[in-house]
Structures are given as structure tokens and as C-alpha cells.
Amino acid sequence: MSEQITTELVNGRRFPIGAERVPEKGVHFRVWAPERKTVKLVILSQAEDVDPPHPPTEIELQSEGNGYFSVIVQEACIGSVYRYLLDDDPQPYPDPASRFQPQGPHGPSQVVDASTFDWTDTAWTGIEAQGQVIYEMHIGTFTHEGNWVTAAKELPELAALGVTVLEIMPVADFPGRYGWGYDGVNWFAPTRLYGTPDEFRYFVNQAHAVGLGVILDVVFNHLGPDGNFLGKFSSDYFSTRYQCDWGDPLNFDGPNSGAVREHVLANSAYWIQEFHLDGLRLDATQQIYDCSAEHIIAAIVQAVRSAGAPRKTFIVGENEPQDAKLFLPLEHGGFGLDALWNDDFHHTAMVAMTGRADAYYSDYRGHAQEFVSTFKRGFLYQGQWYSWQNHTRGTPGLDMPPAKYVNFIQNHDQLANSGSGKRIHSLTSPNRYRALTALFLLAPQTPMLFQGQEFAATSPFFYFADHKAEIAHWVARGRAESLAQFRALATPEMQARLPDPGDPQTFTHSKLDLNERNLHKEAYALHCDLLRLRRNDPVFQASRQSHRIDGAVLSPDAWVIRFFGENPGDDRLLLVNLSRDLHLVPAPEPLLAPPKDCVWDAMWFSDDPRYGGMGMPPWPLQGNWYLQGESAVVLHPVKPAKESVDHEQ
């Protein structure tokens, strides 16, 4: 791969495939089609908006002798739209590495030149794993308009909230008028549904201007069922050695896999270089199959790091089996990811908030022990038997830094998997929700909010996908069968009520109403204050750097977490009680003891009326404590007043 890329860079190219403008030479077109004898370029017009359009121009590409075909066309320019003709096939196809599909995956490709965008983020140094607060965002539903430009207007508000990184759901172009993006088919072409490529760049540029990093969710385990024409160029794009849950997996280790790997690695670097993204989120890594000496995921990590240098980059993975190898360093035999999503935290929190312990929640109890363990160790399952899957789950990662685990209590999958799409605050009591939000946002692990969570959005978030009828029926049926793993959702009554993914209202109902920030001020204040405490308090800051925490169970539903400060005596206690009022008599737990010559006093509590709570009496500086039911309180050490000391003597 390196030799091919270097050769093309000498000729003025930045990436090995696709159409690129070469200064003073024209546009260079290059495509991999090893099973074809001839590849012809059909330029439909010199620019998309030419009226009347020029008659199509056919130009035959030259074979390079290695499966690649290429040609430089002086007459082509930015905005030219084109397709490829393959051998005697009369059907023209879009470029497999198209930079833009203005009419969607079935339409022609368009020449784009990223170098014309006027970036103003030269001082931006990138982001790393430590200290981040992630915000998962779907551009099509984040605002009513659903595009890059209107989303960019909201970036200062997200920065003021305390978010530091935006995780954008997939944008590789997909068919239809709306969708989640996990069925993308044009991996280099940001979907036309949200705007032009330069409007995507504008969004990233504006994010950097207000101090926000941006990472992109990418899907390298399969392509969508409609508009995928890679197989027309080569059957070697896909593997028959493995079975993927969502379609044919990519060929990363079979015959002719070198060009497939090059395609993916170029795509990984492309988002970083041409859109100034700060990293990637890799979807469903357990279904990226590769037996090569260098796993493709490790190669992706290195491609991203190299493309971003000297800026820092941040790479997150989703891995259902929770294999710690993914975030072990490359030199220790790992793949080098910065962090992995922590399903365990979500699942135990979901059980604690709703009592729901069905399907993949069945190996969780939502008890104090699970929360203490995930605070201290990240994943709950690191090799133990997992009854739901009837085998062990996870691999050891006991000493991993907390930042390597991305905690969440909402995300796109889990909201939609409820069947109703309802937000978790509407499925549990307000008190319990505030208490667990405090736990979630003060934990040393990396927190991830899902759009609208910060203001208790009333809009649901459904699964939606706009496909032609025969595929739409298959998608809706598959979705219903997937949700039937939950016994309640398997009933005829609930199956009949599941939203149709193809119904336009399923999409529009999922759009946020950003005016709810003002309507739900109590929920918004809760998140703002907790993120400010997380960001500004030196003890909570220190806990993220290393394992400077400990915890203990006080009852089946109550626990204490102690955060140890850098200076002796400068600690914090987080007390959480998810049951009824608890009188801590006796209190034989050393973590409850205050630092020498100090007593504990409250510095924050979830029952604050500002958040919609019923208040909390002054914290007792002497005697045993009452923990209010379904509440959380943060304590800090203070020196007792002299009269209090005298009274005690």
C-alpha cells in the first residue's frame, strides 16, 4: 500500500483512489477494477449546474497493470459530474471513492477539491483521551432543518454546557431521504442530505473555533443493501470466509485484499486530512474480520495518527465482546484504540432505573456492587461466564486508565431498542434519574451524552431508514425480530405498535426541539452544574488521571465512592442511595471517615430545588448520617468551627 500511495503523491495526488484535481494538470481519476478489461470515464458535464449540459464525454482509462486504471483529464474541473463504464456493461456506475454524490448513491459522482476551503483552525492541536465529555449527535435530527449549517449555530451552546467532543453518527452517503447512516455505501462522500462537503468542513471549523473536537462514526464491517456497487468493480472487495450480521464483510485478509485495505486506510486518513476531524469511532469492531499479521484495526489507528500529526487524534471503538486487546498499546500486541464504549455501565444503570432485566440486561442486577465495580474497573465482565450468551464475556483489563471506558446511560441504539424510543428520564423516577446522572457525570470514566439528554428531551429517538419497498419490508421485519429478544416487545400487541422505520413520521418525530433547553431548565441546570464540577474541581480532575478512587457497598442499593485528592485531606465523597431513606447506623466503613482534623459537609446534592428536587436538610457535621431516598450527595472536607470542637470535648 505505501508504495502505491507514494507513487500517486508524486503525481500530485493526496489519496490513491477517486477523482482529485492536480494543479495545472486537470483532474486525475483512479479506480481499482482488477476483473475488468476496460474502464471508461463518462463526464456528463463540466459542472453540475451547466444549462444546457454539455454532451457526455467518454474517455478510456489506462490500465496500470496492477488492477488500477487511471487517467488525467485537463478539461475536467471542480463540479464536473461523471460515472464509469465497465467493459460491455451498459449501466454506468458512480466512483467507488466518490467525494460527493449530489443525487444520492445511484446518481453520478462529482469532482470536489478540498484544498479550496479556507480553514481558520491552524492553532487547533487536536484532542486526546483524557478529560473529554462526548456528545453523540445525528445531524439529521439534531435541528429541525437537519443540516450542517444550522447545527453549527448550536456549537457555542454545547461548548458552554461542558461538552468537549462531538461524535457524529455516520455520514457516508446512503439511499433515501433519511437514515441513521449505518447503511452507508459511498464511504468518501458525506451525504448530500446534510449539505455539501464544504458545509461539513465549515461545521468542523466552527467547532474548533469554540473549543470542540469532532470525531466521526465510521462503518468498516459492511456496506448497506442498496446503492453498493463495489462488487461491480471487483468481487474481491468482500469476503466469503466470514459471516457478518448486517451483510457481506470486507475482505481484509484474502486474495487481492491489499487494495481493499488501501481503500479503508485511505478513507480513514481522508476524513482526518480533508475534513480536519479529530478522530473516528469504529462501529461494531467485533465484526471486522482479519487474520493478517497486522490487523486492519491496528492499521487504521496508525493511518489516523499519521494523517492527523502533529495534531492529537482520538479513536473510540464499539466492541460488544469487550475485548481489552483493542485498547492495549500496539507495542503490547493491542490495536491502540484510545477508548471503548462501556455497555456494562449502561446495562446496570438501565436495570437500576427501570427494573428491566430481560434479554441482554439479564446478567445485571443494578445493585450497589455493580456500580462500585464499574467505577473501579471499567468493564464488569472481563472473562466471567455470561449467561445470556452462554459463554464467557470480556477479557482482563483491570488496570486500564479510566478514560479508556466510555460510559453512557443513553445512546442511539439503546433508545431505539426500547421499542418506544423513550428517553430514560421518562422511564424512571425523577429522583433516581438525577442520582444516577450524578454518578454518570462524576465517574472518572469518559462520559457520553446523547443529543437532547442534557435537557430531558421529550422527543423519542427511533430507528429510521428510507429504502425502496422490497428492502424496507425486509428492514422492518428484521428490526421487529431483533426487538423480540425482549419478551414484552415480542407480544403481538407490542409488535403491532413498533414504529415503521420507513415511515417519514418515524424520522420527524425523532427530531429535537432545542427550545426545550428553556422549557426544561431544571434538567439543563443539573447537567451544566455536574459538568462544571467535573471540569473545575481539582479532585474530580485528578481521579481521571489514575485509579485515585475507592468504593464500598453500604446497602444493596446504596454505596460510597471516595475520590482521593492530590493533597492529603483534600478528598471527595459521592454517596448514592437508590432505595428508601437510609440511616447509616452503624457505619463500619473506613471510606466514610473524614480526613484528619476535618468533618464532611455537602457541596452538591441531587435533591437541590434548582434541579426539581424537594431539598435536603443541612448536612450533619456530627453523628450518623441519613441518606435521602433516591438521591446523591457530594461531600468535601471542612475544618470544624471552634465551638463545635469545644462542644465535642
Side-chain angles (χ1 to χ4, degrees):
M1 173 187 170
S2 299
E3 183 177 347
Q4 293 166 343
I5 290 178
T6 302
T7 300
E8 292 307 316
L9 285 175
V10 169
N11 293 329
R13 291 190 61 99
R14 296 179 296 278
F15 298 98
I17 46 180
E20 292 188 7
R21 187 179 72 87
V22 180
E24 300 180 0
K25 295 182 180 179
V27 176
H28 190 265
F29 297 84
R30 191 170 192 251
V31 64
W32 184 61
E35 296 159 25
R36 299 296 184 172
K37 293 181 180 179
T38 62
V39 177
K40 292 181 180 179
L41 171 70
V42 181
I43 299 181
L44 303 177
S45 69
Q46 298 307 307
E48 184 186 13
D49 57 354
V50 171
D51 188 23
H54 296 291
T57 302
E58 286 190 15
I59 302 171
E60 186 168 339
L61 278 70
Q62 302 300 309
S63 172
E64 298 180 7
N66 55 3
Y68 286 88
F69 293 79
S70 61
V71 68
I72 191 160
V73 180
Q74 188 173 7
E75 296 79 13
C77 60
I78 299 172
S80 294
V81 291
Y82 66 98
R83 300 182 195 251
Y84 287 121
L85 284 171
L86 307 174
D87 291 340
D88 297 326
D89 188 343
Q91 173 69 40
Y93 297 104
D95 187 345
S98 167
R99 303 304 199 255
F100 191 46
Q101 294 292 119
Q103 299 173 33
H106 292 272
S109 304
Q110 186 175 63
V111 176
V112 172
D113 186 3
S115 67
T116 62
F117 185 81
D118 186 17
W119 292 97
T120 60
D121 66 347
T122 54
W124 181 255
T125 59
I127 58 174
E128 55 188 353
Q130 286 289 349
Q132 305 305 334
V133 176
I134 303 173
Y135 189 90
E136 190 185 15
M137 174 187 291
H138 178 268
I139 295 299
T141 55
F142 178 65
T143 64
H144 175 75
E145 296 82 358
N147 59 49
W148 295 114
V149 174
T150 55
K153 296 177 182 177
E154 305 299 329
L155 297 176
E157 187 70 28
L158 292 176
L161 168 68
V163 169
T164 64
V165 182
L166 306 176
E167 183 177 302
I168 309 299
M169 287 175 64
V171 302
D173 203 31
F174 52 88
R177 298 160 293 172
Y178 46 81
W180 275 14
Y182 293 94
D183 52 359
V185 291
N186 300 107
W187 282 1
F188 288 79
T191 178
R192 79 280 176 206
L193 297 176
Y194 307 149
T196 66
D198 272 358
E199 286 171 338
F200 185 7
R201 295 183 180 94
Y202 169 79
F203 175 89
V204 177
N205 197 50
Q206 294 299 107
H208 289 170
V210 297
L212 293 171
V214 186
I215 65 174
L216 179 65
D217 198 339
V218 292
V219 184
F220 290 148
N221 51 73
H222 76 290
L223 281 87
D226 183 24
N228 169 20
F229 299 114
L230 289 184
K232 299 294 183 180
F233 291 82
S234 175
S235 59
D236 287 327
Y237 270 109
F238 300 98
S239 174
T240 58
R241 300 175 60 187
Y242 309 103
Q243 184 67 41
C244 177
D245 289 344
W246 303 288
D248 294 334
L250 274 292
N251 169 30
F252 293 126
D253 57 6
N256 275 333
S257 61
V260 183
R261 294 172 71 91
E262 180 172 71
H263 187 99
V264 169
L265 297 180
N267 182 253
S268 302
Y270 164 78
W271 294 117
I272 307 303
Q273 287 186 3
E274 299 215 342
F275 290 85
H276 288 204
L277 291 172
D278 298 291
L280 303 175
R281 182 263 188 186
L282 307 183
D283 180 64
T285 56
Q286 71 275 7
Q287 300 222 328
I288 299 176
Y289 301 105
D290 187 8
C291 289
S292 304
E294 180 185 47
H295 196 285
I296 187 64
I297 295 177
I300 289 168
V301 170
Q302 293 189 76
V304 169
R305 305 288 190 220
S306 177
R311 290 182 292 126
K312 301 185 180 78
T313 45
F314 180 47
I315 309 172
V316 179
E318 178 192 32
N319 185 260
E320 193 280 335
Q322 300 184 164
D323 187 351
K325 181 178 182 178
L326 276 89
F327 52 35
L328 286 173
L330 296 170
E331 59 269 23
H332 294 163
F335 295 166
L337 271 66
D338 293 298
L340 290 176
W341 277 19
N342 186 358
D343 284 339
D344 281 346
F345 182 86
H346 172 270
H347 294 353
T348 194
M350 191 71 175
V351 174
M353 285 189 283
T354 68
R356 181 181 184 178
D358 193 13
Y360 53 75
Y361 298 127
S362 58
D363 284 86
Y364 303 86
R365 296 295 176 264
H367 289 167
Q369 170 270 315
E370 293 177 1
F371 288 107
V372 171
S373 295
T374 192
F375 245 69
K376 295 172 65 175
R377 301 300 183 191
F379 292 146
L380 292 175
Y381 284 91
Q382 300 193 18
Q384 312 96 294
W385 192 257
Y386 195 65
S387 300
W388 169 244
Q389 297 173 341
N390 200 32
H391 57 70
T392 59
R393 181 170 186 233
T395 59
L398 295 175
D399 297 323
M400 290 293 158
K404 285 191 172 291
Y405 300 93
V406 176
N407 287 353
F408 49 89
I409 57 177
Q410 295 184 29
N411 69 22
H412 68 275
D413 274 328
Q414 301 302 341
L415 285 176
N417 285 355
S418 70
S420 67
K422 289 182 178 178
R423 306 290 184 134
I424 187 60
H425 71 267
S426 66
L427 301 176
T428 188
S429 77
N431 292 345
R432 184 169 289 228
Y433 177 70
R434 288 193 300 270
L436 280 175
T437 295
L439 179 81
F440 158 58
L441 292 180
L442 295 180
Q445 289 79 23
T446 301
M448 183 179 74
L449 296 160
F450 183 71
Q451 61 177 36
Q453 179 177 343
E454 71 275 19
F455 54 79
T458 58
S459 55
F461 193 76
F462 297 122
Y463 175 71
F464 45 83
D466 185 29
H467 287 291
K468 53 191 178 184
E470 58 269 29
I471 295 177
H473 172 75
W474 174 78
V475 168
R477 180 177 176 180
R479 185 69 183 168
E481 290 175 352
S482 174
L483 295 181
Q485 64 182 295
F486 297 101
R487 289 171 293 182
L489 298 182
T491 63
E493 296 82 3
M494 286 304 299
Q495 287 278 302
R497 293 174 64 89
L498 293 177
D500 178 2
D503 186 339
Q505 290 192 358
T506 303
F507 166 61
T508 57
H509 286 167
S510 300
K511 286 180 176 283
L512 289 181
D513 177 3
L514 295 177
N515 291 324
E516 289 185 339
R517 288 180 186 142
N518 296 320
L519 297 175
H520 304 163
K521 291 183 178 180
E522 294 170 341
Y524 199 48
L526 172 74
H527 287 81
C528 287
D529 288 356
L530 283 168
L531 288 175
R532 187 180 301 111
L533 189 61
R534 176 186 184 86
R535 179 175 63 251
N536 295 338
D537 185 88
V539 181
F540 288 117
Q541 288 179 4
S543 73
R544 303 196 298 269
Q545 303 297 325
S546 60
H547 293 281
R548 300 184 62 83
I549 59 168
D550 202 352
V553 172
L554 303 177
S555 80
D557 297 306
W559 63 95
V560 58
I561 303 293
R562 186 156 180 164
F563 299 79
F564 296 98
E566 296 284 355
N567 301 315
D570 191 14
D571 297 348
R572 303 287 183 265
L573 282 191
L574 172 61
L575 294 158
V576 181
N577 177 24
L578 297 185
S579 188
R580 57 173 294 170
D581 289 3
L582 177 64
H583 192 197
L584 287 178
V585 178
E589 171 49 58
L591 292 180
L592 298 175
K596 188 176 185 299
D597 298 328
C598 293
V599 295
W600 294 112
D601 198 5
M603 64 182 297
W604 183 91
F605 55 98
S606 63
D607 278 325
D608 193 316
R610 294 183 64 249
Y611 314 136
M614 299 299 290
M616 185 184 76
W619 192 257
L621 301 184
Q622 299 182 53
N624 290 99
W625 298 337
Y626 277 96
L627 302 184
Q628 292 187 182
E630 298 191 336
S631 72
V633 59
V634 177
L635 306 180
H636 64 152
V638 297
K639 296 290 185 180
K642 185 177 186 303
E643 55 269 21
S644 174
V645 174
D646 293 340
H647 176 75
E648 192 172 309
Q649 291 175 343

